[in-house]
Amino acid sequence: MITETITSSLKKALEDLGVSHLPSEINLEQPANKDHGDWSSNIALATAKNAGWSPRDLASEIAELINSDLPNGVENVTIAGPGFINFALSPQWLHDVLQTVLDQGTEEFGKVDVGQGRKVNVEFVSANPTGPLHAGHARGACYGDSIASILDAVGYEVEREFYVNDRGLQMGLFAESLLAFQSGKDVPEGGYGGAYVEAWSHEMPNNLSVHEALDWGCQYAMEDQRRTLEMIGIVFDTWFSERSMVESGAIEQTMKDLSEKEASYSQNGATWLRSTDYGDDKDRVLVKSDGEFTYLTPDVTYHREKFSRADWLINVWGADHHGYIARMKAAMESLGHDPEQLTVAITQLVKLVRSGEEVRLSKRQGDIIELREIVEEIGPDATRFMYLLQSVDTKQTFDLDLAASKVMDNPVFYVQMAHARIRSIQSKAEAMSMWPVEGLDIDLSLLEHERELEVLKNLFNFPDVVQLSARELAPHKIAVWLRELATSVHGFYHDCYVVGDTVPPELSAARLQLVEAARIGLVSGLDLLGVSAPDSM
RNA sequence: GCCCUCGUAGCUCAGUAGGAUAGAGCGACCGCCUCCUAAGCGGUAGGUCACAGGUUCGAUUCCUGUCGAGGGCGCCA
């Protein structure tokens, strides 16, 4: 690859000049400014001081050495600014990129093997089975599914998991609320009064015990949530039941083990986790003085169970749960697990805006905005793309009008449109028997238009973007890259006619190759976000 | 009081394992269709990267502090 050629030429020049103390890796970057060449190195700036040179002199010597024996594909080397070394390349390297993309196709392009088959468990959504999924669940749902896809692409063995809180106080209240609605009584204190509870209660068979109503309600809610998630293409491998850990005795076992490791103690009639031993602010109650578990205890058991199935655990939690991280890590550490192998990704809140006004999510009134409503309003693709467009570290303002609009302002349509245009070109070429191209000699060196090279540069970046988004668990980097690729595709489309009377057949053939590579790029990126690539808009 | 995530163009947001003149979309203004989707392309205007120190050849990026926004600090989940 060309970048390796450049770095080895830099290394050789540095050796020839007697510069030691090289950094472990020589980094190259693509300068924003085209006057600075195709690739740039700051190695002279980084090493000059130790070597006793001025950065600019060192850069100048390096450039002279490389210029005297230019590596294949490099046209010239110049220095600029405080001591940057800039490489101008012939377009050949981009034609190589094109060929690689075509050879790899959508199955391979952008995939690498940094995970090496290690098992990662991504737990997300995990909403209580006491009602439909609402807007607040959506960001974590889209995010969790996308990072799972990205980790899969970089070689991890991924399990998507939903933790079902099918026992405990909330479930009891939910069951009683269903029964109350069914028999026309008042909802119990702290119960669920939403309109959906009343609607569901009419579906429920009569004369159920509280226990039976709980089972029924849990199943009904899970089924409702599963269908909603399916609407946006999210399918879980595992739905893990909290209750199953009571029945199997796993929770009791965990209590016993914590006690044996002296990670827990009794005080004031309750059992406490000694979480301050591992950096938590205060110790936490595991078993209340009334004998009931707190929510923490099954959850600790659950995480421990997950560790028996995976090498790396990722939890996607909302910002309101961040205070919970320390105690969970402390619990895992006291049970002998490495807290570094538990990653908690926090998603900040989303503010929904419609007609320029914030959509209030008032759960107390029961008038929650259901995720289903959003998907029905704007469609699954817009739902996923809009949620993933932005870093989950920042509060998001989600404009429902924009997401629903079928105009260029809408990023998802902009990207999908690029794909639709490509398919349009391909079907036209197909009708003229120019595509697919078979067995012909295709001269990719005909591709030297600025717009063509721009598309190829973006394609070149994709594997790095995938790795970076995996390392940082940041799907928005994929979304941003897709917008850039789409921009270059629209520019190419505008300035470079592919199939037509005015285009020489050899150029058409070469451009059709580029079009196919761009298609592979768009499909590959969209796939990681769970967004479709339609043939027409 | 302590902890977490933020503060970048009028708006919505990228960018930062330290790099050259800080980017995109929208909105505003000005151009571009006999031909593959004008659902597009190009250009102009718009910034003390919240503020103040520090480290560095170089800081929007790293460190400290201040201010501002949201979230968290339960024998609730």
Side-chain angles (χ1 to χ4, degrees):
Chain A
M1 199 182 292
I2 190 69
T3 49
E4 287 157 15
T5 307
I6 294 172
T7 50
S8 67
S9 73
L10 284 168
K11 262 183 207 155
K12 183 168 180 302
L14 287 162
E15 275 170 28
D16 291 352
L17 291 166
V19 176
S20 51
H21 295 97
L22 299 184
S24 59
E25 222 172 300
I26 296 184
N27 290 318
L28 294 178
E29 59 178 32
Q30 298 177 72
N33 187 335
K34 289 187 175 68
D35 295 340
H36 296 144
D38 296 293
W39 288 96
S40 176
S41 171
N42 66 351
I43 190 69
L45 292 160
T47 56
K49 199 173 184 183
N50 277 334
W53 293 71
S54 89
R56 208 160 154 109
D57 287 347
L58 178 58
S60 172
E61 293 288 333
I62 293 170
E64 198 173 311
L65 271 174
I66 300 177
N67 269 322
S68 68
D69 183 19
L70 283 172
N72 197 20
V74 178
E75 289 191 332
N76 66 66
V77 183
T78 54
I79 65 165
F84 290 99
I85 304 168
N86 297 329
F87 294 78
L89 271 48
S90 82
Q92 168 70 39
W93 73 284
L94 290 169
H95 301 146
D96 294 345
V97 169
L98 169 50
Q99 194 56 55
T100 303
V101 176
L102 292 174
D103 291 346
Q104 293 184 325
T106 51
E107 288 301 308
E108 290 301 318
F109 181 47
K111 308 251 163 79
V112 286
D113 191 13
V114 296
Q116 299 179 320
R118 272 172 301 197
K119 291 183 183 172
V120 56
N121 181 294
V122 184
E123 184 218 320
F124 57 110
V125 187
S126 298
N128 286 344
T130 54
L133 295 176
H134 54 77
H137 295 119
R139 194 180 204 184
C142 296
Y143 175 77
D145 190 58
S146 187
I147 59 172
S149 297
I150 291 165
L151 291 170
D152 181 69
V154 298
Y156 286 91
E157 190 179 310
V158 181
E159 181 169 22
R160 290 168 168 84
E161 185 151 328
F162 190 121
Y163 179 53
V164 185
N165 299 95
D166 53 4
R167 62 163 289 282
L169 185 66
Q170 295 302 316
M171 280 311 291
L173 284 166
F174 177 53
E176 286 169 29
S177 302
L178 282 169
L179 289 166
F181 268 114
Q182 195 180 46
S183 57
K185 292 178 191 153
D186 286 343
V187 173
E189 180 76 26
Y192 293 77
Y196 74 89
V197 186
E198 182 171 16
W200 289 12
S201 73
H202 299 321
E203 304 285 322
M204 188 168 68
N206 290 315
N207 303 317
L208 296 187
S209 67
V210 173
H211 185 78
E212 289 166 333
L214 192 154
D215 281 349
W216 183 89
C218 179
Q219 289 304 317
Y220 197 93
M222 276 173 67
E223 190 54 27
D224 185 83
Q225 294 177 0
R226 192 187 59 73
R227 278 198 305 269
T228 302
L229 289 164
E230 230 165 52
M231 287 170 75
I232 48 175
I234 297 176
V235 177
F236 284 89
D237 301 304
T238 305
W239 295 72
F240 192 93
S241 158
E242 177 181 350
R243 207 195 300 171
S244 72
M245 295 186 301
V246 178
E247 290 160 2
S248 71
I251 296 180
E252 288 301 334
Q253 185 62 45
T254 296
M255 291 303 300
K256 209 173 127 194
D257 293 344
L258 284 168
S259 170
E260 276 174 15
K261 289 174 192 293
E262 295 185 10
S264 64
Y265 60 93
S266 293
Q267 188 181 307
N268 300 335
T271 307
W272 296 70
L273 176 70
R274 217 180 284 279
S275 52
T276 46
D277 282 0
Y278 297 100
D280 198 4
D281 292 346
K282 50 188 82 165
D283 288 344
R284 308 288 170 173
V285 173
L286 291 164
V287 183
K288 296 186 272 182
S289 51
D290 65 4
E292 290 289 321
F293 297 128
T294 64
Y295 57 92
L296 180 61
T297 311
D299 228 6
V300 167
T301 310
Y302 172 52
H303 280 74
R304 183 189 200 195
E305 200 280 340
K306 284 198 287 186
F307 264 123
S308 73
R309 291 184 279 135
D311 306 305
W312 180 22
L313 307 186
I314 298 177
N315 295 341
V316 178
W317 287 348
D320 55 342
H321 282 70
H322 106 268
Y324 193 45
I325 299 172
R327 72 196 70 167
M328 181 56 71
K329 289 203 173 215
M332 288 304 107
E333 200 166 354
S334 54
L335 285 166
H337 296 289
D338 179 0
E340 292 294 310
Q341 291 175 317
L342 169 63
T343 301
V344 182
I346 294 294
T347 64
Q348 297 295 318
L349 297 179
V350 178
K351 181 171 79 175
L352 290 176
V353 173
R354 184 189 278 129
S355 309
E357 299 214 350
E358 180 170 358
V359 181
R360 283 275 161 206
L361 305 174
S362 162
K363 201 169 181 179
R364 187 171 304 163
Q365 303 296 320
D367 58 347
I368 54 172
I369 308 288
E370 291 188 24
L371 175 53
R372 189 197 321 273
E373 295 173 59
I374 294 176
V375 179
E376 283 168 355
E377 181 174 339
I378 68 178
D381 287 340
T383 304
R384 296 196 62 152
F385 199 88
M386 297 300 277
Y387 273 114
L388 292 173
L389 191 54
Q390 194 173 328
S391 162
V392 290
D393 286 339
T394 58
K395 290 171 299 210
Q396 180 173 33
T397 303
F398 192 124
D399 187 333
L400 288 165
D401 299 320
L402 174 60
S405 67
K406 300 188 191 269
V407 292
M408 57 183 172
D409 320 15
N410 185 343
V412 65
F413 277 87
Y414 183 82
V415 174
Q416 289 184 317
M417 186 62 194
H419 181 266
R421 284 182 146 174
I422 282 171
R423 296 295 296 133
S424 171
I425 292 169
Q426 290 184 331
S427 57
K428 183 180 176 187
E430 210 169 327
M432 297 171 71
S433 302
M434 297 177 71
W435 176 262
V437 192
E438 282 168 17
L440 294 178
D441 272 344
I442 296 160
D443 185 3
L444 295 180
S445 71
L446 295 172
L447 302 174
E448 42 185 22
H449 194 286
E450 188 65 27
R451 299 293 209 175
E452 296 166 333
L453 302 181
E454 207 48 48
V455 172
L456 296 174
K457 281 180 194 168
N458 277 314
L459 289 172
F460 173 86
N461 291 333
F462 184 60
D464 287 342
V465 171
V466 174
Q467 281 183 65
L468 193 61
S469 68
R471 193 170 72 220
E472 297 184 3
L473 302 179
H476 76 277
K477 289 177 189 288
I478 304 284
V480 169
W481 175 82
L482 276 167
R483 286 223 291 199
E484 286 167 1
L485 177 62
T487 297
S488 66
V489 167
H490 286 304
F492 163 79
Y493 179 90
H494 185 265
D495 287 355
C496 301
Y497 215 72
V498 177
V499 181
D501 298 339
T502 55
V503 188
E506 313 82 58
L507 185 58
S508 283
R511 285 183 171 166
L512 281 166
Q513 297 295 96
L514 180 138
V515 160
E516 171 64 4
R519 186 191 70 82
I520 290 167
L522 287 165
V523 169
S524 302
L526 286 169
D527 191 49
L528 293 176
L529 305 184
V531 177
S532 74
D535 286 352
S536 64
M537 301 295 292

